[in-house]
Structure formats: structure tokens, C-alpha cells
Amino acid sequence: MQWNSAQAVMAHLAAHPVRHLIDGELVDSAVHAGVINPATGEACGSSPQASRAQLEHAVAAALRAQKAWAQTSFDERRTRLKAFADLLRSHAAELGALVTLEQGRPLTLARGEIERAASLLEAVIGIELGDEVLRADARGKVYFRFHPLGVVGAIAPWNVPVGLAVPKITHALYAGNTVVLKPSPYTPLATLRLGELARDLFPSGVLNIIGGGNEIGEAIATHPDIAKISFTGSVPTGRRVMASAAGRLKRLTLELGGNDAAIVREDADIERIAPQLFAAAFVNSGQVCMAIKRLYVHESLHDRLAALLCEQAASLVVGDGFDPATAMGPVQNLAQFESVKAVLRDVRADPKARVLTGGYAREGCGYFIEPTVVAGLAEGTRLVDQETFGPVLPILSYQTDEEAVQRANAGEFGLGASVWGEDLGAAEAMARQLVAGTVWINRHVGVDPLVPFGGAKSSGIGQQFGLGGLRDFMQPAAIYVPS
Ligand code: NAD
């Protein structure tokens, strides 16, 4: 099969509907929910909705399987997870096509999401997970031994369905935990299909993937037999998950929203970096937690950079992700589409705002928004203060370094930030003042699998990736050994 048209993928789905993976079995549910193709606004498939009994079955299976899984060596887990990475690569065309169908991103980028997930997985399982010596002296030795936590409840969002689910599975399983994973109800197809493909890779119950809505997410977050929640999603839902997890004092990794600032310094080479800035803001139609969402530009460069960004927008082909010409797809779902349109209405009604390009949703079917660049706004407006999560970028002029840092640090978010300039020393000095989980110089977006990634302030708690990220899926025990 070619996996390069929506019709072909939908026909395949109709013949092979996706199922849950529970306790090593592929199972259906009595209730199904439709999945919408955001490029057309029409149904493109359906997902089984796990009942409470099915969730209980999955959690019980994960709990049972965890004891034996925790006894396996790191080498054995590595071998099985490596096979999982191989499977992702060998099915990248199919899984990528499902992502394009349900999420909207262009096919090559969707395939890239699957391949990138495999590469991240391989890098993470290359990290050695041993004891950590804390003190060794005449009194003896003290070291941390790291135990798995138990069952991890993994809850994923819709913006990068497979790319965000696979690291959760990788961290949890490699550390000796078992998993019950729930994808977003907007984008369940590729993730459930992944569960089907992975059925025989792990002992029964080690990996469970179930479809379901927000209520099943909440049931996972409150479940007494789930020891940890790995959640990626919005700040309001993250707060609810944290409250739900409080009953059992569950461990939490919350990867939440961002409103990342990029600061372009006076000495930046804007002709060279404009395409990079544009890509980092409009990647995945702006629906990336760590995309640039506020662009602070030194006043001497503001107008020229704004013009360069408008040129980029003019040459961007927006359309159906199955069209090979498309560089940017639709916004993923109707609620998000309405939310971005409301931001645009606010902008158009603001006398200070200058819409330099875009500003409207496209007429016709699908959830398409024109790439939009807005000048003239400041803090105190919705577009600047909140995470829009769409292809709309405010460009803001600043005068002094102190002002740029203070404005970039304002607000409740602290996921990522970046500084752009030719003088790396000056850029680094500025980077060190920014309060965010990640600060890049002369780039923005992307994780290094060996470097822990997480948010400051309301952008999250805990980390993924690197040794620190893996240890977030384990419980340290300090062992005191006398000399
Ligand atoms: P969302 O919070 O609406 O939903 C995320 C998941 O939570 C879904 O699977 C949903 O079914 C589930 N859920 C909903 N209510 C729940 C509850 N009460 N208890 C438990 N689970 C519940 O998020 P979204 O709209 O799918 O994703 C977009 C958001 O995710 C954006 O804010 C984006 O910035 C953020 N995000 C963050 C990162 C990161 O690494 N920091 C990465 C990607 C996306």
C-alpha cells in the first residue's frame, strides 16, 4: 500500500479498525468515537472508547506484569525497546499517514515524526542507569539505588501524537515500569495502531494502549494502582491532573504549555535567521509547545525583520497534508480553530495592532488559518500573554537588554526561550537571565535526548530525556554502607 492519500488510508482503516492493546490482546469496545480529518472537517475513522472495566483490566495487567518486568536486566529492556524503534521505522509510512489524516501535518513531516521518535528512543536507551554514589569517605559509602515506580499512566495530547507518546513509553519501560497509555481523543488512530504493531514485542501487560476521552484520562490520574502520571497537555488540564493525583501522592511529570519568547539582539544577522525564526514559530501550524510564540526584536531591526517574515509567509503553501506541495497543514481540531479565530478577531479589533500578513481563517472546508504576523501589540493583550497554539505570531519591538529580559520573563509560562545574535558572549549573558526550562542561542525548538527537557513556572513539573528525565520515572533509595 502507498499510504499517500486520505482515501486510501480511510479505506484501509475501514477494513482494519484500530483496537486497544490490553494485557497483550487487541480488543474492541462497545462504544466508538469518530475522528475528524482537520483538512476536510469530515469523519475519517473511529476509535474504540475504553470502558471503566477495560481500564481496570489494563491497570491490573500492568500491575501484574510490572514485578517480572522490573526484574529484567537493562540489557533485555534495551533489546526489546530497540525492536520497538525498528518497528517504528519499518512502519513510518503507515503511521505517518495516520498522523497526517488525523492531525493534519504534511506527510513528510508526519513520517519524520515517527522516525524522530525512533531516534530519540535509541538515544534514551543508550543512557546508563546505575547507582549514584553520593558520598564515600572514612565513615563509609552512601549511594542512591533507583527502583522503578510501578505502573505509569501516560496521557498524551493531539499536536504530536506519536512523537510525544513514544518518549513516555520509552522512559517508563526502560526504567522498569509498565504503562497504560491514552492518546488524545482527537488523534487516537496512529497511537492505537502502534499498540497493535507492538503487541508481541513486550510481555503481556507491560504496554497497554487504550482509546478514550477526558474521563478516562481523569480515571487514570486518580487510579490508586497507578504510581506515576506522565502527562503532556495544556496548563488547565495539568492542574486538574495534579489535583487528581494528589489522593495517592502520585509522582508526576507534567509537560505543559508554553509562550516562548525569542529575543533578536541588535547584532543579529536577520537576513540569515529570518527563515529559522519563521520555521520555529509556524512549525506544525504553530501547534508546538516550544514554538516561538512571542518575537522580541531590537527596534533597529524590527521593521526589516517583520518584512522578511511576511515574505516567508507569502511563500508558505498551506493545504492538505497529503498534497506534496503543502508545507503547513490545518489547525488540528474545531475547538482549537475557533480559539485561534477568536484571537484573530481580538487582534483585528485592537486599534494598536497592525496585521502585517494573514489575519483570517481560510474560507471553505477544513480548519485552515493563514500564517499571520502582527506588529504593534504589547503585553496585556491575549495574543502576547496567552498561548495561542496556532499560526499567529506577535512581533514586538524593544530598546534595551534589560527591557527585553524583563518582558520575556513576564507571564506564567517558562517552557523555552531563545536569544539570537552574532556576539555569542552577549547572547549567552542574556540567555542566563531567562527563566525557562530550555534556553537556546541562535536556534529554537527541538530536544536533545541526552538533555533533560521540562518547563519552569506553569509550563510543567519534572523532566523527560537525559539521565534526569529517566530518574523522574524512578524512586531513589539512599543506601548507607558503613566502612
Ligand atoms: P489537553 O490538556 O486538552 O489534553 C491532553 C490530554 O489530557 C488528552 O489525552 C485528554 O484526553 C486528557 N485529559 C483531558 N482532561 C483530563 C483530565 N481531567 N484528567 C486527565 N487527563 C485529561 O491538551 P491538548 O489540547 O491535547 O494539547 C495541547 C497543549 O499541550 C498545549 O498547551 C501545548 O503547549 C501542550 N504541550 C506541551 C508539551 C510539553 O512538552 N511541554 C508538548 C506538547 C504539547
Side-chain angles (χ1 to χ4, degrees), residues 40-205:
T40 61
E42 289 170 4
C44 64
S46 77
S47 156
Q49 303 294 289
S51 63
R52 283 304 291 258
Q54 286 177 313
L55 172 64
E56 290 303 330
H57 184 179
V59 175
L63 195 62
R64 201 168 51 242
Q66 199 268 328
K67 290 185 183 45
W69 182 249
Q71 298 306 315
T72 56
S73 66
F74 284 116
D75 272 350
E76 176 171 353
R77 293 178 214 158
R78 211 175 263 140
T79 303
R80 289 184 188 264
L81 282 162
K82 172 74 179 87
F84 190 43
D86 293 344
L87 180 143
L88 282 160
R89 284 213 181 81
S90 60
H91 289 81
E94 175 184 357
L95 294 169
L98 287 169
V99 168
T100 296
L101 185 71
E102 63 185 344
Q103 200 277 335
R105 66 197 329 202
L107 200 51
T108 47
L109 298 179
R111 285 181 189 159
E113 173 185 332
I114 312 298
E115 282 156 5
R116 171 90 177 129
S119 303
L120 290 175
L121 183 164
E122 286 168 343
V124 169
I125 62 174
I127 298 171
E128 289 296 330
L129 263 181
D131 298 341
E132 181 186 346
V133 175
L134 302 167
R135 207 187 65 210
D137 54 28
R139 287 180 290 167
K141 185 166 108 171
V142 186
Y143 66 93
F144 266 154
R145 182 251 195 274
F146 292 89
H147 297 273
L149 293 168
V151 179
V152 171
I155 304 173
W158 47 256
N159 60 329
V160 188
V162 176
L164 291 170
V166 169
K168 295 180 187 305
I169 297 170
T170 306
H171 283 70
L173 296 191
Y174 185 46
N177 307 288
T178 53
V179 172
V180 176
L181 166 71
K182 188 195 83 66
S184 165
Y186 290 115
T187 54
L189 300 174
T191 312
L192 289 173
R193 178 68 185 131
L194 180 60
E196 294 181 357
L197 294 167
R199 175 189 177 181
D200 298 325
L201 288 186
F202 303 102
S204 295

Side-chain angles (χ1 to χ4, degrees), residues 103 148 175 191 204 220 231-232 238 250 262 285 299 304 320 324 357 419:
Q103 200 277 335
T191 312
S204 295
I220 290 173
F231 172 84
T232 302
K250 285 186 177 43
S285 307
E299 59 177 349
R304 176 65 192 140
D320 189 321
T357 187
V419 182

Side-chain angles (χ1 to χ4, degrees), residues 160-422:
V160 188
V162 176
L164 291 170
V166 169
K168 295 180 187 305
I169 297 170
T170 306
H171 283 70
L173 296 191
Y174 185 46
N177 307 288
T178 53
V179 172
V180 176
L181 166 71
K182 188 195 83 66
S184 165
Y186 290 115
T187 54
L189 300 174
T191 312
L192 289 173
R193 178 68 185 131
L194 180 60
E196 294 181 357
L197 294 167
R199 175 189 177 181
D200 298 325
L201 288 186
F202 303 102
S204 295
V206 167
L207 174 63
N208 304 273
I209 303 184
I210 58 173
N214 299 348
E215 69 296 341
I216 285 289
E218 191 173 350
I220 290 173
T222 47
H223 202 291
D225 289 336
I226 292 182
K228 178 190 168 91
I229 299 295
S230 171
F231 172 84
T232 302
S234 62
V235 173
T237 312
R239 288 202 180 95
R240 283 197 283 278
V241 168
M242 195 167 180
S244 300
R248 207 208 125 157
L249 290 173
K250 285 186 177 43
R251 300 315 185 245
L252 286 171
T253 305
L254 301 177
E255 303 271 7
L256 307 180
N259 195 23
D260 286 16
I263 301 175
V264 178
R265 292 175 55 78
E266 191 174 7
D267 66 340
D269 179 352
I270 55 170
E271 309 286 329
R272 185 168 55 79
I273 66 174
Q276 291 164 260
L277 290 167
F278 185 83
F282 290 89
V283 54
N284 202 25
S285 307
Q287 304 166 114
V288 170
C289 55
M290 58 179 127
I292 297 175
K293 299 194 180 115
R294 296 174 289 157
L295 184 59
Y296 290 96
V297 184
H298 189 269
E299 59 177 349
S300 62
L301 303 176
H302 175 278
D303 292 356
R304 176 65 192 140
L305 181 55
L308 290 168
L309 294 175
C310 290
E311 283 172 24
Q312 293 284 319
S315 64
L316 189 74
V317 179
V318 180
D320 189 321
F322 282 102
D323 181 340
T326 294
M328 189 176 92
V331 165
Q332 196 278 325
N333 61 70
L334 183 58
Q336 188 61 24
F337 185 53
E338 293 300 335
S339 162
V340 178
K341 284 200 297 187
V343 171
L344 291 177
R345 274 196 300 278
D346 272 10
V347 165
R348 292 196 304 266
D350 189 329
K352 294 208 183 81
R354 284 180 288 125
V355 178
L356 303 178
T357 187
Y360 290 91
R362 209 164 73 176
E363 298 287 328
C365 67
Y367 310 142
F368 293 98
I369 303 271
E370 295 171 3
T372 299
V373 178
V374 182
L377 290 180
E379 293 73 14
T381 55
R382 184 167 163 187
L383 177 60
V384 177
D385 292 352
Q386 298 300 319
E387 179 187 44
T388 300
F389 224 53
V392 186
L393 178 69
I395 174 165
L396 305 114
S397 170
Y398 77 87
Q399 293 179 326
T400 67
D401 284 6
E402 295 69 28
E403 177 199 345
V405 167
Q406 183 263 321
R407 292 172 69 187
N409 281 340
E412 68 164 323
F413 297 98
L415 191 58
S418 61
V419 182
W420 302 68
E422 293 295 297

